[in-house]
Amino acid sequence: MTNALDPPPDGAASILRRHTMARVALGRVGTAQPTSAHLAFQAAHAQARDAVWAEARLAGDITVRSQARDRREYLLRPDLGRNLAHGTTLPAAPGALVFMVADGLCATGVAAQAPAVIAAARPLFRLPVGPVVVAVQARVALGDAIGAAMGAAAVAVLIGERPGLSAQDSMGIYLTWAPRPGRTDAERNCISNIRPGGLSAAEAAAKLAWLLAAAQGLGATGVALKDDMPAMPLLGAVPAEPVERRRT
Amino acid sequence: MPFAHALGGTRYVFDDLATLLARATPLRSGDALAGIAAETAAERVAAQYALADLPLKHFLSEAVIPYEADDVTRLIIDGHEKAGFARISHLTVGGLRDFLLAEPEVANLGLTPEMVAAVSKIMRVSDLIAVGAKPRVVTRFRNTLGLAGTLSIRLQPNHPTDDARGVAAGVLDGLLLGAGDACIGVNPATDNIETVQRLLEMLDMVRTRFDIPTQCCVLSHVTTTMLALQRGSPVDLVFQSIGGTQGVNESFGVSLALLAEAHDAARARHPGANVMYFETGQGSALSANAHHGVDQQTIECRAYAVAAKYAPLLVNSVVGFIGPEYLYDGKQILRAGLEDHMCGKLLGLPMGVDVCYTNHAEADQDDMDALLTCLAVAGVNYIMGVPGADDVMLAYQSTSFHDGLFARAATRKTAAPEFEAWIARMGLGGEAIPAALSPALIGL
């Protein structure tokens, strides 16, 4: 949405705009933002609000649902989004990495980003890859229930991230070694901001493969697995959302 | 011990202190989610009556989470300041409300987090503002924060891929609009140690190049910051998210011993300074399934007892970040932000508030303007400054640099004095970028 902003008020300020998609160099009227910047913000917020409630078709081998019956219940009852709907059956995938593709807070985001990441990641893994499980009205921790039910070695949850003003198509990946209900967020590693303009599918796949190999060696994910993967200079930095601000 | 109150012909009974506190809490979605909220509006007020009659001394004999089971309870009970408490030990919760509103001096009262939470539950928004404005909590690093007549701003120049120049552009934009005296603090998109070190070095370069009287912080996990410190990176502040139970702190990957170790390491680097930066927020304990049936606002106050142990420079509640399952809408966020500010101040903390919301909450910028204005009147130590209020990394909305200018102007406040002098020295305030702050000087 930054593109909808007017040009910055002078040449020096435009230098700032060149380096970030953040809303910099807006100018000011009194202490406030000029009308154009104000309306650009309102428009982006309206689109993000709408994205939270949008539905999308997700690609996978099996589809399961959480216990949250609709979007409103999903928003108000995260506990239901972490449990599989009663009567769900899943095939065994012992020792495998299982992908869970989940709507989360932005179904359109995961629909757009997940297929390319899975395709790029498959050849990089040493572990066998199990079926891709699509999960509807799902929270990250639903992957623990799915991974445990399938006997998976690890679960990679690909989930739509909460829409922001500049990005309404972003996906995150949460990797959990030895998934089982009761795992805490400190026992996962996260890769976030996967989208055009953020982390590319190839970068996300490389990062996931690195984390999975490290997790396999360590027998754990989370705080114990320090992310000291060398930075990829040609690709820029490698985001993995810090535990402390993650409250999905 | 059960508590009871009759209202409208119904006698309401509350089995224990935790239940009484939960039922007395003004409505918020997180307590409903936990199944501990009052079922009716009448039950809530009955609980408030019963709570108002409760002697403060009772809080010293009934813990909401058992002493044996939780290290935060042990920290609270073992660290209770009996000397200050003598002044108010004869009061009930209702009497404490009246005392806080009537007395000009309300610092160092030996209040426990649970007492502070209790009194806030029988207060209106105007009470929260009036009492929140009384304690002054002043902290120091390279400048002095929390003085009367000042309102500071944490400059938050996040970038989705931690691009150093992208972050630097956000820093300069904020400086040009008077932000950055609380700190220049980046939430990294990654906890990668090399990235964290690179950001620390860039921030230190900007700070020294422009000779800014402020402090910098990369808000990585405490273990990552300690590693950066060991490797010789220019670490000013040690950041960590904390909560009000042992379990929620474990979910953040921290312990009290680890926080003490980090505090000692940073103090060795910066003798005499307040070196810690903590963030909190109602709902984190429930989110981590570590709430013990205690309401989210009481647990939030217990987190302040943890923070107070390490003499922080900055503490802020990220009040609307957690989402609608804990604070549903603008009304709930407004009240929670003012509760957190007042309760933190009464417990001796340099409280800031991240006036914020997410896109799945029923809130918008109008709600933030209302909370910001109330907090500025209440004397909040600092707020966030985010380019255009839009955090492009964390995907939520906070307050903009412009909002900071508005709040200072509306309440006739300035930045921290050292920073205000720097603003004057640099010639900030006009349309053009002063030569002394040329983007070229920091490689842009």
Side-chain angles (χ1 to χ4, degrees):
Chain A
M1 276 297 103
T2 308
N3 292 341
L5 297 172
D6 280 352
D10 66 37
S14 74
I15 291 168
L16 303 184
R17 197 77 68 79
R18 198 179 301 153
H19 294 288
T20 178
M21 68 292 289
R23 291 166 195 265
V24 296
L26 299 182
R28 63 184 171 103
V29 285
T31 59
Q33 295 175 26
T35 301
S36 61
H38 162 64
L39 288 178
F41 180 102
Q42 297 296 96
H45 182 234
Q47 289 175 314
R49 293 280 292 138
D50 289 345
V52 170
W53 292 81
E55 293 179 0
R57 179 174 291 277
L58 304 178
D61 303 313
I62 309 162
T63 297
V64 301
R65 303 185 64 86
S66 78
Q67 291 176 4
R69 288 163 299 184
D70 56 30
R71 190 99 292 225
R72 181 183 160 77
E73 188 168 66
Y74 174 81
L75 290 175
L76 281 168
R77 292 289 305 271
D79 54 326
L80 299 180
R82 297 183 191 117
N83 294 332
L84 278 169
H86 297 295
T88 302
T89 55
L90 284 161
L97 171 79
V98 166
F99 283 106
M100 172 178 124
V101 175
D103 48 5
L105 284 167
C106 186
T108 50
V110 76
Q113 318 308 344
V117 172
I118 292 173
R122 275 184 193 276
L124 306 179
F125 293 147
R126 282 182 286 167
L127 282 179
V129 177
V132 174
V133 180
V134 168
V136 178
Q137 308 293 9
R139 299 268 170 183
V140 170
L142 188 68
D144 296 338
I146 288 174
M150 298 174 77
V155 62
V157 173
L158 280 58
I159 190 162
E161 294 186 330
R162 193 179 56 223
L165 299 203
S166 335
Q168 292 106 32
D169 60 352
S170 187
M171 184 181 80
I173 303 178
Y174 292 78
L175 180 67
T176 308
W177 185 260
R180 59 165 186 265
R183 287 283 186 207
T184 71
D185 287 349
E187 296 174 298
R188 313 185 201 286
N189 291 85
C190 176
I191 307 168
S192 66
N193 282 303
I194 302 162
R195 63 181 175 86
L199 196 67
S200 72
E203 289 170 307
K207 186 71 175 182
L208 179 60
W210 187 91
L211 286 172
L212 184 63
Q216 199 172 356
L218 191 66
T221 42
V223 174
L225 200 178
K226 250 321 153 210
D227 171 13
D228 52 5
M229 178 179 177
M232 294 179 281
L234 294 176
L235 302 176
V238 188
E241 194 172 348
V243 166
E244 59 272 12
R245 288 291 289 253
R246 188 181 71 229
R247 288 169 178 173
T248 302
Chain B
M1 169 184 151
F3 309 91
H5 187 82
L7 192 72
T10 301
R11 186 163 180 272
Y12 296 91
V13 179
F14 311 99
D15 287 341
D16 54 25
L17 182 57
T19 304
L20 179 65
L21 288 164
R23 301 292 193 275
T25 305
L27 177 64
R28 62 207 62 197
S29 49
D31 292 338
L33 173 64
I36 57 176
E39 289 192 4
T40 64
E43 184 190 16
R44 178 169 297 111
V45 177
Q48 290 172 350
Y49 267 109
L51 188 58
D53 283 344
L54 191 63
L56 292 178
K57 279 180 183 158
H58 181 87
F59 288 82
L60 301 179
S61 63
E62 183 180 358
V64 293
I65 300 171
Y67 184 90
E68 301 73 26
D70 188 277
D71 61 6
V72 178
T73 300
R74 293 196 287 277
L75 179 152
I76 291 166
I77 291 177
D78 297 347
H80 183 234
E81 297 283 348
K82 292 177 183 62
F85 187 64
R87 197 175 149 207
I88 53 163
S89 62
H90 60 291
L91 296 176
T92 60
V93 172
L96 177 62
R97 174 182 174 276
D98 296 344
F99 175 93
L100 293 173
L101 285 161
E103 289 291 317
E105 284 295 325
V106 297
N108 305 314
L109 294 175
L111 293 166
T112 66
E114 289 84 356
M115 295 175 196
V116 171
V119 75
S120 76
K121 295 177 193 301
I122 57 169
M123 284 180 162
R124 285 174 39 189
V125 158
S126 61
D127 301 340
L128 297 171
I129 294 171
V131 174
K134 293 184 183 186
R136 205 131 280 298
V137 183
V138 176
T139 56
R140 291 177 178 85
F141 197 103
R142 291 193 185 91
N143 56 20
T144 313
L145 301 172
L147 293 170
T150 67
L151 171 59
S152 295
I153 297 167
R154 168 191 158 193
L155 204 170
Q156 183 174 309
N158 297 341
H159 187 277
T161 60
D162 292 330
D163 178 80
R165 277 181 295 193
V167 172
V171 172
L172 185 50
D173 195 52
L175 292 171
L176 293 169
L177 291 168
D181 53 337
C183 72
I184 301 173
V186 181
N187 298 90
T190 168
D191 217 54
N192 180 293
I193 178 67
E194 290 182 20
T195 303
V196 168
Q197 289 187 283
R198 194 163 45 80
L199 287 172
L200 283 166
E201 279 150 24
M202 184 278 290
L203 292 176
D204 198 58
M205 179 273 290
V206 173
R207 182 185 64 77
T208 52
R209 190 73 44 94
F210 291 151
D211 194 23
I212 313 168
T214 193
Q215 35 285 331
C216 301
C217 187
V218 175
L219 286 74
S220 55
H221 191 266
V222 62
T223 52
T224 306
T225 305
M226 285 171 73
L227 186 56
L229 197 59
Q230 285 161 18
R231 290 186 181 183
S233 292
V235 172
D236 289 346
L237 300 176
V238 175
F239 167 82
Q240 184 55 44
S241 286
I242 56 169
T245 71
Q246 184 174 336
V248 67
N249 285 325
E250 283 168 2
S251 86
F252 287 136
V254 298
S255 65
L256 300 180
L258 182 60
L259 295 175
E261 189 188 335
H263 177 246
D264 290 348
R267 283 280 282 208
R269 179 72 62 90
H270 304 287
N274 300 104
V275 291
M276 302 301 284
Y277 176 4
F278 294 116
E279 283 189 347
T280 66
Q282 293 188 26
S284 61
L286 176 56
S287 172
N289 197 25
H291 62 101
H292 300 265
V294 178
D295 71 89
Q296 65 186 33
Q297 190 255 338
T298 297
I299 289 183
E300 173 72 4
C301 291
R302 288 166 53 95
Y304 301 154
V306 175
K309 188 86 179 163
Y310 310 101
L313 182 81
L314 305 164
V315 179
N316 70 264
S317 160
V318 195
V319 63
F321 186 77
I322 192 161
E325 64 269 37
Y326 303 94
L327 295 167
Y328 181 69
D329 56 13
K331 179 180 171 71
Q332 293 184 7
I333 293 170
L334 173 83
R335 186 176 163 95
L338 294 167
E339 288 168 348
D340 293 350
H341 173 257
M342 183 201 76
C343 292
K345 283 281 177 72
L346 285 175
L347 291 166
L349 292 184
M351 283 306 291
V353 176
D354 189 344
V355 175
C356 65
Y357 64 105
T358 60
N359 289 320
H360 61 318
E362 290 295 326
D364 61 23
Q365 221 60 21
D366 286 346
D367 298 302
M368 299 305 105
D369 291 346
L371 175 54
L372 171 63
T373 306
C374 289
L375 283 166
V377 173
V380 70
N381 277 34
Y382 70 102
I383 56 170
M384 309 304 125
V386 177
D390 170 14
D391 190 309
V392 293
M393 196 283 281
L394 289 168
Y396 79 125
Q397 287 82 251
S398 181
T399 40
S400 67
F401 304 132
H402 300 76
D403 293 329
L405 292 177
F406 157 76
R408 281 179 183 157
T411 54
R412 298 172 197 278
K413 290 179 178 174
T414 65
E418 301 87 347
F419 196 86
E420 195 67 28
W422 177 83
I423 288 174
R425 200 160 69 237
M426 291 287 135
L428 287 173
E431 280 291 310
I433 297 180
L437 287 177
S438 166
L441 291 174
I442 55 170
L444 295 179

